[in-house]
């Protein structure tokens, strides 16, 4: 499980902190951290009722 997390966690802690602080300073209510979070957010906005099915069906490779 740890190895799969490390493979998915392509954003370093320092980069994540920078993105979070930038979002908070702009007053963002939600701050997607990393490309994987941005991709999931886009899929969720385009397909709000079925996005989880899309991600499950793709086996998580949407995040890669």
């Amino acid at each position: 499980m740890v190895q799969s997390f490390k493979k998915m966690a392509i954003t370093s802690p320092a980069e994540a902190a920078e993105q979070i602080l930038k979002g908070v300073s702009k007053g963002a209510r939600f701050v997607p951290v990393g490309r994987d979070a941005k991709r999931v957010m886009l899929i969720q906005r385009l397909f709000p009722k079925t996005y989880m099915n899309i991600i499950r069906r793709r086996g998580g490779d949407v995040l890669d």
Side-chain angles (χ1 to χ4, degrees), residues 13-41:
E15 292 170 348
E18 186 177 319
Q19 290 177 20
I20 292 167
L21 290 174
K22 187 185 294 185
V24 169
S25 70
K26 292 181 178 182
R29 293 179 359 162
F30 177 75
V31 181
V33 176
R35 292 183 306 203
D36 52 340
K38 291 175 185 174
R39 289 178 186 160
V40 171
M41 188 175 79

Side-chain angles (χ1 to χ4, degrees), residues 2-54:
V2 172
Q3 293 293 39
S4 63
F5 174 77
K6 286 182 180 181
K7 183 179 175 186
M8 282 181 45
I10 56 179
T11 305
S12 74
E15 292 170 348
E18 186 177 319
Q19 290 177 20
I20 292 167
L21 290 174
K22 187 185 294 185
V24 169
S25 70
K26 292 181 178 182
R29 293 179 359 162
F30 177 75
V31 181
V33 176
R35 292 183 306 203
D36 52 340
K38 291 175 185 174
R39 289 178 186 160
V40 171
M41 188 175 79
L42 176 64
I43 292 169
Q44 182 181 15
R45 286 180 183 226
L46 292 174
F47 309 101
K49 293 184 179 180
T50 59
Y51 81 97
M52 279 308 297
N53 292 335
I54 292 169

